[in-house]
Amino acid sequence: MWPRIDGLRSLALGTPGELRARLNSLVLAGAKTATAGLTDEYAEEGEELEHVGERLALVDDHDAPVGVVEVTGVDVVRFADVPWDFARAEGEGDRSIEEWRAGHAAYWARVGTPVTDDSRIVCVRFRLG
């Protein structure tokens, strides 16, 4: 299970360190309003998907809260079918869906969960709350 903070599920973006700090700063600045995960990660952790209206505690490397976001949308799609408007909402500077896919495929491969076109991706949209 993911940590709970004041009754809220935690949202730990990326991997601890520089990446998480950068992603959290993008959320807090309002530039990042979406994040992608793998359905396999939810299954491994015994977690249900987020739901619209759910509030999540955005956490730092030590699971300390740095903000709260409210989920505004959740979709599950094939990796090959993630739409550009979602990728752009991730706010990470990708200039095309191909660049987004390459970056995310490389990230998941680095953390030991390589993806294929058919991998199921959870596309979560949120707003800073």
Side-chain angles (χ1 to χ4, degrees):
M1 283 182 52
W2 296 329
R4 279 14 183 208
I5 299 170
D6 296 328
L8 303 178
R9 284 199 285 178
S10 63
L11 175 60
L13 299 173
T15 50
E18 184 180 319
L19 177 59
R20 181 164 300 155
R22 183 173 71 82
L23 296 176
N24 282 350
S25 67
L26 289 170
V27 171
L28 297 174
K32 181 173 180 61
T33 59
T35 192
L38 300 171
T39 57
D40 290 348
E41 294 170 331
Y42 289 80
E44 288 169 10
E45 293 288 333
E47 289 287 347
E48 295 181 14
L49 298 183
E50 293 84 357
H51 60 272
V52 172
E54 182 177 8
R55 293 168 48 85
L56 306 170
L58 182 66
V59 297
D60 66 11
D61 291 348
H62 308 287
D63 290 330
V66 297
V68 174
V69 299
E70 181 180 342
V71 176
T72 60
V74 180
D75 293 300
V76 177
V77 299
R78 293 173 59 244
F79 182 65
D81 296 333
V82 171
W84 171 235
D85 69 305
F86 173 83
R88 190 174 46 242
E90 280 209 277
E92 298 173 28
D94 295 308
R95 295 170 300 225
S96 69
I97 191 62
E98 293 79 18
E99 187 175 341
W100 180 91
R101 286 190 183 114
H104 280 70
Y107 168 78
W108 281 316
R110 277 193 311 275
V111 299
T113 52
V115 295
T116 68
D117 282 351
D118 291 326
S119 296
R120 305 299 289 172
I121 307 300
V122 182
C123 297
V124 179
R125 293 178 183 267
F126 55 81
R127 65 174 163 246
L128 196 56

